Amino acid sequence: MKFFILTAAVVLAVAQARPDSFDAQAELREFKSDLKEDGSYEYRFQTSNGIAQQEQGAGGHYASGSSAYYNPDGQLIQLTYTADENGFHPQGAHLPTPPPIPAAILRSLEYIRTHPQKDQRQGHVRF
């Protein structure tokens, strides 16, 4: 439930980030929420200005969902995610990605992997 409240707050904050007349007149087109006795839940909502959110999960254990909204330039931003014991895992074309690892670094890592230190070759590990 906390995750639902946090997610809804983030989406509403995004909507507030560009207060123009179109957003100021936005209306809720759809809202559905279901909380079951076993702690699982599901919700979704959609607004007239293109904001949409949906999520399902088991309270405090697992969640997956998606969000969509338009940025100030009019580009559709879509985000999907899962959250579990391994953390929060977002995916979206708008998210930054790390640069490729330089070839020299890859060669160095391969050399280190194939040439262990003398103590490691003899079965001794130094700390």
Side-chain angles (χ1 to χ4, degrees):
M1 192 63 174
K2 289 179 187 177
F3 193 74
F4 167 73
I5 293 169
L6 177 63
T7 303
V10 169
V11 171
L12 291 175
V14 168
Q16 294 296 325
R18 55 181 193 116
D20 59 21
S21 62
F22 181 68
D23 287 336
Q25 302 300 321
E27 296 178 359
L28 194 59
R29 287 192 172 166
E30 175 188 16
F31 180 80
K32 293 187 181 184
S33 179
D34 185 23
L35 179 59
K36 298 182 178 138
E37 288 186 24
D38 65 359
S40 63
Y41 65 93
E42 182 176 350
Y43 77 87
R44 70 176 175 256
F45 68 86
Q46 219 173 29
T47 63
S48 61
N49 63 346
I51 296 172
Q53 168 78 33
Q54 67 85 26
E55 182 177 296
Q56 58 278 333
H61 300 285
Y62 176 81
S64 65
S66 64
S67 297
Y69 63 93
Y70 289 91
N71 72 9
D73 297 330
Q75 177 187 9
L76 178 62
I77 303 296
Q78 294 179 310
L79 174 75
T80 59
Y81 60 87
T82 59
D84 56 23
E85 67 274 1
N86 297 314
F88 181 69
H89 307 283
Q91 295 180 336
H94 66 291
L95 297 175
T97 57
I101 299 172
I105 300 298
L106 290 173
R107 285 192 305 272
S108 296
L109 291 171
E110 181 60 19
Y111 180 85
I112 290 168
R113 186 184 70 76
T114 58
H115 295 85
Q117 292 181 358
K118 183 178 179 182
D119 290 345
Q120 289 177 336
R121 286 188 291 231
Q122 295 174 355
H124 303 286
V125 177
R126 276 193 303 191
F127 291 97

